Amino acid sequence: MRSEDWFSSQLFIDDMSDVLSLAKKACIGIEDRLVTQPLAISYGGITTYPRDSIFDSDEYAPLRDKVIEVVTKAARMQGVDMTKYHIWISELWVNKMNENSEHATHSHAASAYAGCMYVDCPEGSAPTRFFNPIHSLALTCPLPVQTKSTYEWVDIN
């Protein structure tokens, strides 16, 4: 796992290829599931509700376990005492982005950790843009010289 410091946060990047086929399977038939949100934060895409019930089945336990493993690794890298804290998944969903679709800027402010796993990114796919939260708090204040802590956003391929 690698870590990058951006803004007031850390971005952790890890390999989840061992559960990639299971994650891809979760995307199959998303258009037909009753848990989709047609007017959700994906414009031109499809998002399931945060508690997509397919993830409650035993079939997806390896994917859930891998997510917990990766987040636990990130927490340990930050010095969190894992004998005192327990990682649990509050929400897990599928998002399918079609060509020329976009995902609205949003926050996971109530979460200690939030993440995403990309299962298929064709060549030329747009990066994920992470916004610096300080900019929304200080829109009229001049910011100091550009550093990793003051960039307005960072794009991650």
Side-chain angles (χ1 to χ4, degrees), residues 27 30 33 40-43 45-48 93-98 101-103 117 119:
C27 299
I30 184 176
R33 294 218 290 276
I41 56 178
S42 298
Y43 305 112
I46 302 168
T47 302
T48 60
W93 63 90
V94 175
N95 178 262
K96 180 180 178 185
M97 303 302 291
N98 300 311
S101 60
E102 62 183 72
H103 205 67
M117 177 183 180
V119 299

Side-chain angles (χ1 to χ4, degrees), residues 19-78:
V19 292
L20 181 60
S21 62
L22 197 53
K24 283 185 178 185
K25 186 174 182 179
C27 299
I28 296 171
I30 184 176
E31 297 89 349
D32 300 323
R33 294 218 290 276
L34 296 176
V35 294
T36 57
Q37 304 178 69
L39 299 175
I41 56 178
S42 298
Y43 305 112
I46 302 168
T47 302
T48 60
Y49 285 104
R51 289 300 306 163
D52 188 342
S53 60
I54 67 163
F55 293 113
D56 294 330
S57 70
D58 291 341
E59 178 181 11
Y60 288 93
L63 180 58
R64 292 189 313 265
D65 292 346
K66 183 66 175 189
V67 169
I68 290 171
E69 174 190 320
V70 168
V71 174
T72 300
K73 203 182 327 181
R76 285 190 177 120
M77 286 176 70
Q78 290 183 309

